[in-house]
Every structure is written in structure tokens, then in C-alpha cells.
Amino acid sequence: TYAWFFLPSFSQSPPTFGFLLDIDGVLVRGHRVIPAALEAFRRLMNSQGQLRVPVVFVTNAGNSLQHSKAQELSALLGCEVDADQVILSHSPMKLFSEYHEKRMLVSGQGPVVENAQGLGFRNVVTMDELRMAFPLLDMVDLERRLKTTPLPRNDFPPIEGVLLLGEPVRWETSLQLIMDVLLSNGSPGTGLATPPYPHLPILASNMDLLWMAEAKMPRFGHGTFLLCLETIYQKVTGKELRYEGLTGKPSILTYQYAQDLIRRQAERRGWVAPIRKLYAVGDNPTSDIYGANLFHQYLQKATRGGAPELGAGGPRQQQPSASQSCISILVCTGVYNPRNPQSTEPVLGGEQPPFHGHRDLCFSPGLMEASHVVNDVNEAVQLVFREEGWASE
């Protein structure tokens, strides 16, 4: 049961806007809620404890279950968060149905099998299962090396694709085994004279190079793991690692998926007015702001009669959209530090700062510039309510 104190209620017309809220660095730091988030949700809820506008939580985390993340947010924020309000980095992989029946090697940590099955993948193999089937592959850790040579396996069905759900714990093991699968066309117990190319399909989620927890400096994200894999593959084969799908911010596909959840949420609440405007609040210029601005650009082009092809991170199908704009709002409680804005301003000498985005994203400095910069998510909510002519309850 959640107790709140409310200001007097005012009658309000149905919302025509919704929020896409990042979690880490916006609402929480590690396992601690950011105080401004509590104030923000006090404004977002009415006197009955219901949200006054549609809200979807869009995180690039992926090492937990969707309903577990919803329960965690409910406890931290003091409001009821449903599982279908939460988008994890891999949630849009539900749309990749052509791979759901394939035998997929899954990488990540936490409940990877449950997550993969929840996305629709019915035939998954974990890194540990592969390592146990072929124990001679994992050689970096001397303590885990076998003292005897096992008999070769010929009863292990071939792997048909690779599913990268988030950063694993033993990077050296995952990198080695994924490479073995790609170079052997799914049969790592055998060796091929010439590695196949194109290689087996790869679906990956969460391209964040860095993310902000409770430490003073950012931590490595799954984007760093992907960078390692891409670099190793390029060095070994001389060819570029390719993805059939990239999900998580800043992919267009993730924002399309979020937009659909916003629409469904509005329908369930009986809000008949279409949601024309989305406000995306985040702390990372490379993922949150870049993604929101890229989606805004996509929406603008779509309304003018056609959206461009956007590669592995692009939409799965083109469909009419009620939303006409996606406004980016950058907060200063996470990765972005206004006293050291390395990721958004040129360094001395006029050079561009290093681009922390994924290899497959074209570097466009303008897309990393937020429509608004505020201190925290509470200020973001106040800003949006002023823009929309809404009163705070």
C-alpha cells in the first residue's frame, strides 16, 4: 500500500502526450531511488494514485525479468508499475519471430533462459551448456582447464544463431565460444578451413558503451562487450561482424515499441485523444538523447510521406503513427555531468569528442543535443506540464 499527500485536484482533459522514462541515472542510482523521482511521481499521479498521463519505462538493462523490474520500480517509486509499462533492452526481440524456432546460443547473465523464452525463443542453449558439451573450448582460466582430453561429441545439434541479451560475467569465455560458433557455422566441435560469410544471424540488445551506477565514474555496458566481439571478429576474419537486429536505445525499433505500449496504455485508461507527443527523459546523450532525436527525425520524415531504411536497428514494419514528435530531455543525475560535458561539447582545439555510440550508428553531433537540459526528472515533469498547459496536482 502506497501513501501519498496530494495537492487539490483539478479536472483535466485527456492527455495527448506521454513520457518515456529512462531508469538508471534518472529514477535510480544503483539500488537507491533519486529523491527527485519521488517528487516527479507525486506530480504524475492523481489523488486516486493513478497516473495522469501514459508512462513507459525504457531501460537498456536486460539482466532481469520484466515483471521483476516492474516490482522493483513499484517499491522504489511508491506507485503501481505494471510489467507492460517496462521495456527492457531486449523486449522488441518479440518482433523477430523468424528466429524464434531456431536453436540460439544465448549470452548474458541472470535469468537468460527465462528472458529468451519470454521473448518467444523456444530452443536456446546457454554458454554453460555449450562449454560443458565442448570443454576444450574454454581455455583462458587455467583453473577450469581439463586435466584429461574428453572424447569428441557428435550428438550436439548445430547452433543456428546467437542471441546477445546483455553483458555476461566471464567475458573471455563468452567471446571465445561465440567466435567458435560463428567460425564453425554452429558446430564448434569441428573446424572449417574457411569461416562462412555471411555468418550465422546475430541479434543483440543494449548498445550502451557506459552506464552510471553508484560509482563516481561510468561502468562498462554491453556496448563495450559488443565492441570487443566486433573487433575480434574483424581481426580474425578480416570481415565485419553483422547484426540481423539491434534493440535497446537508441534504436528506432525500441522507440516504436515504446510508442505502441503508450498507445495501448492510453486505450486501457479510456483516453480517447491520440497521443501526439512523446517526451523522452534520459541521462545519457549517446543513447537516450540520440535515440529520442533519431526517432523524432523518423516521425517527421514519416509524416512527410516516407521514412528511411535504418538497418538492423530500424523498424520491423512501417505502420502509421499517431505520434508526431519525440522531445528529448536530458537530466544531470546520471552519465551526463554539466561540469564535465565531455560527450556533448568539443574538446580544446575544436576537435570532436569521442563518439560513444555503436559502430552501426552514424555519428551526428546534432542528434546528441537535447531539446531541454534540466537538473532532474522532477524538473523535467514540471517543464512538460508547463509546455502542455497542465496544472500540477
Side-chain angles (χ1 to χ4, degrees):
T1 304
Y2 307 114
W4 285 87
F5 297 95
F6 297 94
L7 298 174
S9 177
F10 302 92
S11 60
Q12 194 78 62
S13 57
T16 57
F17 64 96
F19 284 94
L20 309 180
L21 299 180
D22 182 32
I23 297 176
D24 293 299
V26 174
L27 305 177
V28 301
R29 285 281 293 268
H31 294 290
R32 297 194 326 210
V33 67
I34 295 171
L38 299 177
E39 283 296 311
F41 274 82
R42 178 174 173 267
R43 297 178 189 280
L44 285 169
M45 293 198 299
N46 62 23
S47 55
Q48 286 77 47
Q50 294 178 312
L51 287 168
R52 303 166 61 202
V53 298
V55 174
V56 165
F57 302 88
V58 188
T59 177
N60 268 356
N63 293 325
S64 63
L65 295 170
Q66 203 169 350
H67 67 82
S68 299
K69 181 61 73 173
Q71 289 172 352
E72 179 187 341
L73 287 170
S74 297
L76 288 169
L77 299 174
C79 79
E80 195 66 39
V81 176
D82 295 327
D84 57 7
Q85 287 179 269
V86 176
I87 299 178
L88 303 176
S89 60
H90 45 65
S91 296
M93 287 186 182
K94 292 175 182 175
L95 304 175
F96 288 82
S97 57
E98 66 267 40
Y99 300 104
H100 288 172
E101 300 295 336
K102 292 187 179 296
R103 186 169 164 83
M104 303 290 284
L105 175 65
V106 60
S107 169
Q109 59 180 290
V112 288
V113 173
E114 287 179 83
N115 268 326
Q117 291 173 343
L119 295 169
F121 296 92
R122 297 174 181 86
N123 191 2
V124 296
V125 178
T126 67
M127 212 60 69
D128 277 341
E129 288 170 340
L130 185 63
R131 185 177 70 84
M132 295 303 290
F134 302 99
L136 294 180
L137 301 181
D138 187 17
M139 299 292 284
V140 172
D141 188 342
L142 298 179
E143 295 295 321
R144 298 214 297 185
R145 285 190 188 179
L146 291 182
K147 303 299 186 284
T148 59
T149 302
L151 294 173
R153 291 276 301 264
N154 57 10
D155 60 342
F156 195 83
I159 302 293
E160 298 175 290
V162 180
L163 188 59
L164 307 176
L165 296 186
E167 57 269 27
V169 174
R170 286 179 170 266
W171 286 29
E172 78 285 356
T173 297
S174 294
L175 289 168
Q176 178 71 75
L177 268 60
I178 293 167
M179 283 295 297
D180 288 333
V181 164
L182 296 177
L183 297 179
S184 67
N185 204 33
S187 299
T190 65
L192 295 180
T194 305
Y197 197 82
H199 53 67
L200 292 174
I202 301 176
L203 303 177
S205 67
N206 183 359
M207 296 167 271
D208 281 354
L209 188 76
L210 304 169
W211 68 287
M212 202 70 191
E214 290 162 298
K216 299 296 183 185
M217 293 186 293
R219 304 293 87 199
F220 289 158
H222 192 221
T224 306
F225 179 82
L226 297 180
L227 176 62
C228 293
L229 181 60
E230 293 156 9
T231 304
I232 294 168
Y233 188 87
Q234 176 79 45
K235 192 73 172 176
V236 170
T237 67
K239 297 183 173 67
E240 186 174 84
L241 189 82
R242 295 168 56 177
Y243 299 95
E244 296 304 314
L246 283 168
T247 65
K249 297 172 291 187
S251 72
I252 293 288
L253 179 58
T254 292
Y255 287 86
Q256 272 198 321
Y257 193 82
Q259 173 189 245
D260 191 51
L261 292 191
I262 286 278
R263 177 186 59 78
R264 293 186 198 179
Q265 194 179 139
E267 288 175 355
R268 284 198 305 272
R269 292 292 301 274
W271 293 325
V272 293
I275 304 300
R276 298 292 188 194
K277 191 180 292 187
L278 301 173
Y279 290 93
V281 184
D283 70 305
N284 190 330
T286 308
S287 58
D288 301 313
I289 302 308
Y290 190 107
N293 289 338
L294 189 64
F295 188 52
H296 177 76
Q297 194 176 79
Y298 170 81
L299 291 173
Q300 296 293 295
K301 290 178 179 176
T303 56
R304 290 198 297 266
E309 176 60 41
L310 291 160
R316 298 247 72 199
Q317 62 270 333
Q318 310 226 341
Q319 53 189 6
S321 168
S323 299
Q324 298 171 343
S325 63
C326 183
I327 310 303
S328 57
I329 305 178
L330 181 64
V331 299
C332 306
T333 48
V335 168
Y336 176 75
N337 181 350
R339 293 182 297 278
N340 184 28
Q342 293 179 345
S343 55
T344 55
E345 293 183 3
V347 295
L348 289 175
E351 297 177 17
Q352 288 291 346
F355 178 51
H356 289 171
H358 188 261
R359 177 202 69 187
D360 292 356
L361 300 174
C362 58
F363 177 47
S364 178
L367 291 178
M368 293 169 62
E369 296 176 8
S371 302
H372 305 278
V373 180
V374 296
N375 286 319
D376 52 49
V377 66
N378 185 40
E379 287 192 11
V381 170
Q382 292 182 73
L383 169 73
V384 171
F385 279 6
R386 285 197 302 272
E387 293 272 320
E388 297 295 327
W390 271 45
S392 293
E393 291 210 342

